Amino acid sequence: MTHSAAHDDASLSLTSRTDRGGYFIAALSGELGIASAPALREQLLSLLRAASHLIIDLSAVEHADASGLAALVGSGRRARLLGGSLRLAAPSPEVARVLSATGMNQQLDIFPTIRAAITGQPRLPEAIFPSATVLARGHRIDGVIAGTATQSAMPVIDLAAARAGQGSIS
């Protein structure tokens, strides 16, 4: 069964099927954004009425923004209120970056594959989410920044030393 999750332009499509594990699987493809979020929210709520356990395959989602993530978070809350669950599976690299940058990877149940989402183990390891390394006071600090691992091109200025008249730049 295929549904369009956008009003005028089919920027996001949803294909759903049941699985022998008791989960309803919805595969999304396209752009998960402001144009498609309202229709997606309605479609997911409709699916949750039919099956309380829902897995959303994100492997074919090319782009996601805050509106799209809000539709997923709201659907997850609704699933829990109904005594069910919502799990995300196989996010594309772009979606993984957005989930990480927004902190949603801490709020949603995300799994590396559909099979892992069905079995519930293991959750997607934090290492899969990209982080960047930046320099601060001459020390490396790993932080969550959308993108790939980078190192600051700007020199690090030790403000304490500069105030003391030593003015060192590393």
Side-chain angles (χ1 to χ4, degrees):
M1 172 185 324
T2 302
H3 305 281
S4 172
H7 292 291
D8 297 324
D9 63 321
S11 62
L12 184 72
S13 65
L14 180 144
T15 305
S16 58
R17 64 181 171 88
T18 56
D19 185 83
R20 59 181 148 74
Y23 281 89
F24 210 79
I25 300 170
L28 298 179
S29 63
E31 295 190 15
L32 179 55
I34 194 165
S36 59
L40 175 63
R41 184 177 293 110
E42 291 303 315
Q43 300 240 337
L44 292 178
L45 292 177
S46 175
L47 290 175
L48 285 168
R49 287 185 202 105
S52 59
H53 298 289
L54 181 61
I55 294 172
I56 301 176
D57 177 0
L58 299 173
S59 61
V61 175
E62 301 159 3
H63 171 77
D65 68 16
S67 300
L69 293 181
L72 297 177
V73 170
S75 298
R77 285 187 189 132
R78 177 60 62 136
R80 285 189 296 281
L81 287 172
L82 295 172
S85 65
L86 180 123
R87 296 176 176 179
L88 305 181
S92 66
E94 169 66 21
V95 173
R97 278 191 291 278
V98 173
L99 288 166
S100 177
T102 60
M104 289 295 106
N105 58 323
Q106 302 294 320
Q107 305 298 317
L108 297 165
D109 292 328
I110 306 170
F111 297 83
T113 64
I114 293 172
R115 183 63 42 212
I118 291 169
T119 62
Q121 295 294 332
R123 284 192 60 183
L124 197 60
E126 297 304 316
I128 194 86
F129 292 102
S131 67
T133 301
V134 295
L135 290 177
R137 300 184 112 211
H139 300 284
R140 296 170 77 98
I141 299 174
D142 289 333
V144 177
I145 297 175
T148 58
T150 61
Q151 189 171 356
S152 175
M154 297 295 294
V156 176
I157 301 172
D158 186 340
L159 294 177
R163 285 187 197 121
Q166 298 167 354
S168 70
I169 298 178
S170 53

